[in-house]
């Protein structure tokens, strides 16, 4: 195992039991979820979530925080409530499975050019984006607000 040169400031843990048709939980009991295999993957659907939904939720929240960090860093004037939606798909090629990711970012009250800049800078900063860079294409879409020019 190689040593890291960075300082770990937070670490968490989750354990999967039974794969896609099982459940997951955390040792602190703050999170637990039943998993079910989507029909598109040959499962019964069911009421549980799946790894792609969990990834989408985490990525959307993390990216939205990165937007806020960029806005503070660049002293962007006050704007409306941001919204980030992550669309995460599971794709397949000759080698196996891969993720397909799109982020839809709404930055109301900012001119289009400034909103685009904030979104792109957040993509450089967000840990999820950094982890995927060079391995998974993440398509960014600015969701334009009425009056955004």
């Amino acid at each position: 195992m190689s040593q890291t040169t960075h300082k770990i400031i937070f670490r968490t843990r989750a354990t999967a039991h039974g794969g896609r048709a099982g459940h997951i939980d955390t040792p602190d009991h703050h999170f637990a979820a039943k998993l079910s295999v989507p029909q598109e993957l040959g499962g019964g659907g069911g009421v549980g979530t799946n790894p792609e939904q969990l990834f989408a939720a985490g990525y959307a929240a993390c990216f939205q925080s990165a937007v806020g960090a960029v806005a503070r860093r660049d002293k962007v004037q006050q704007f409306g409530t941001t919204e980030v939606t992550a669309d995460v798909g599971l794709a397949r090629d000759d080698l196996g499975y891969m993720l397909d990711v799109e982020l839809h970012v709404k930055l109301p009250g900012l001119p289009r050019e400034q909103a685009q800049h904030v979104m792109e800078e957040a993509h450089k900063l967000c840990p999820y984006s950094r982890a995927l860079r060079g391995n998974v294409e993440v398509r960014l879409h600015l969701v334009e607000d009425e009056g955004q020019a």
Side-chain angles (χ1 to χ4, degrees), residues 12-64:
T12 192
R13 174 178 285 196
T15 302
H17 310 270
R20 284 184 171 272
H23 69 280
I24 53 176
D25 56 30
T26 59
D28 62 7
H29 306 291
H30 289 185
F31 181 77
K34 179 177 174 19
L35 300 172
S36 58
V37 180
Q39 290 178 337
E40 296 87 350
L41 297 179
V47 297
T49 188
N50 59 66
E52 292 72 31
Q53 286 178 327
L54 295 169
F55 188 84
Y59 199 173
C62 189
F63 197 90
Q64 189 172 28

